[in-house]
Amino acid sequence: MFEEITDRIRKSNKIVFVTGAGISQESGIPTFRGKDGLWRKYNVMQLATIDAFYENPQLVWEWYNERRENIFTAKPNPGHKAIAELEKYVNVTVLTQNIDGLHKMAGSSNVCELHGSIIRIKCTVCDFNDEIMHEFEKFPPICKCGNILRPDVVWFGEPLPKDVWQKAIIHASQCDMMIIVGTSLVVSPANTLPIYAKQNNAFLIEVNPEKTILTPDMDFSIRNTSAISLPEFVSTFRK
Ligand code: NAD
């Protein structure tokens, strides 16, 4: 089966990766769900939502700042690097739910960040935004215009940026192979992307140590971590 999959990858005209928190787990960034996921330690629904932010911006900022510091020091792992390397051989697009920037850091050039970036900040009112790692002394930080700043991420209860989502749908609808890595596929609308691919008769592969709700719809499932399995596939192209 391994040879069959690499052969299919080689012959694909357009491969789309849909990635989630699991691909960055081996970079030391906790997932939300699954073993050791953040859900087990915090009630994320009280923190990663637009309502939570306006109710208690200080608490939400403190939680995000801890995550920002962790993510800021994280490095791409062999899974991110394998996807970036695959670009040398085939047409690759990455649609990621992650907010950690590690795909771009690994060298992937065609990345749609569906849920924004945790390092980027923006004002809740004016046009100000910035992508450097600010150190804030007080939370919530305040913009020059006098209003509250926020991380530039998409919270539960918020829509995805329209242009980013439109682009993602087009990529998913046009691919002939979709490789779904490290996502529980429970967050909407990102979890509908495999459906767009299936409508185009794309071959669906899942890379996840655990089963997901879409496992029965996959053409092939790899029950291993992404940092172990993805480099194995890419190494066959170097020969
Ligand atoms: P999730 O936490 O719901 O699911 C993680 C999935 O990854 C699980 O199915 C788990 O079995 C799998 N997994 C765990 N370790 C893995 C590994 N080493 N290799 C491959 N798979 C592994 O994550 P989600 O589906 O991305 O959805 C949650 C939301 O969490 C997204 O909106 C995302 O923005 C946000 N989030 C992002 C980060 C990040 O940027 N790194 C981290 C946590 C949460």
Side-chain angles (χ1 to χ4, degrees):
M1 194 66 189
F2 184 79
E3 277 77 31
E4 194 190 319
I5 300 292
T6 47
D7 197 45
R8 272 184 179 273
I9 294 177
R10 214 177 287 278
K11 288 180 183 149
S12 293
N13 291 318
K14 181 176 175 68
I15 300 180
V16 166
F17 281 86
V18 172
T19 67
I23 194 168
S24 298
Q25 186 264 338
E26 286 153 292
S27 292
I29 301 172
T31 59
F32 270 6
R33 300 173 193 80
K35 208 166 128 293
D36 302 325
L38 282 173
W39 289 106
R40 285 162 199 257
K41 291 195 201 145
Y42 304 89
N43 183 349
V44 179
M45 286 312 282
Q46 280 173 7
L47 295 165
T49 75
I50 183 70
D51 291 344
F53 181 68
Y54 283 110
E55 236 165 71
N56 194 342
Q58 183 181 347
L59 175 76
V60 171
W61 251 111
E62 281 169 359
W63 184 62
Y64 267 87
N65 204 49
E66 212 178 295
R67 292 182 65 204
R68 289 174 95 223
E69 283 171 356
N70 178 29
I71 285 175
F72 193 63
T73 55
K75 299 272 178 295
N77 66 52
H80 300 103
K81 289 181 188 165
I83 296 175
E85 188 183 340
L86 198 61
E87 258 184 40
K88 288 191 204 157
Y89 313 105
V90 280
N91 176 2
V92 174
T93 303
V94 182
L95 309 179
T96 188
Q97 297 167 80
N98 292 347
I99 53 179
D100 55 32
L102 293 184
H103 283 296
K104 285 185 185 168
M105 207 190 281
S108 282
S109 54
N110 201 3
V111 182
C112 274
E113 291 177 323
L114 303 172
H115 295 167
S117 155
I118 198 168
I119 302 300
R120 210 161 54 228
I121 51 165
K122 66 178 184 183
C123 180
T124 48
V125 175
C126 79
D127 287 344
F128 175 79
N129 69 78
D130 207 351
E131 197 152 7
I132 56 167
M133 184 63 191
H134 287 275
E135 302 255 339
F136 298 113
E137 277 166 19
K138 257 178 81 181
F139 295 107
I142 305 296
C143 180
K144 281 189 190 131
C145 76
N147 291 292
I148 300 175
L149 291 168
R150 58 168 283 179
D152 193 1
V153 297
V154 177
W155 277 317
F156 292 114
E158 291 189 297
L160 269 56
K162 213 171 159 190
D163 53 332
V164 176
W165 180 238
Q166 291 289 332
K167 238 169 94 181
I169 292 176
I170 293 169
H171 284 300
S173 309
Q174 292 176 344
C175 71
D176 50 6
M177 176 173 286
M178 180 172 273
I179 307 181
I180 299 149
V181 188
T183 169
S184 57
L185 290 169
V186 297
V187 175
S188 173
N191 62 354
T192 62
L193 290 168
I195 299 165
Y196 288 98
K198 205 67 198 167
Q199 283 166 352
N200 193 39
N201 283 325
F203 192 81
L204 300 191
I205 301 178
E206 172 174 76
V207 180
N208 197 317
E210 294 176 35
K211 285 187 180 168
T212 68
I213 43 171
L214 282 191
T215 295
D217 299 298
M218 295 294 147
D219 295 296
F220 190 64
S221 292
I222 299 168
R223 290 276 158 263
N224 208 337
T225 76
S226 41
I228 292 174
S229 20
L230 295 177
E232 280 177 21
F233 283 101
V234 177
S235 67
T236 64
F237 285 83
R238 289 190 208 119
K239 289 168 191 159

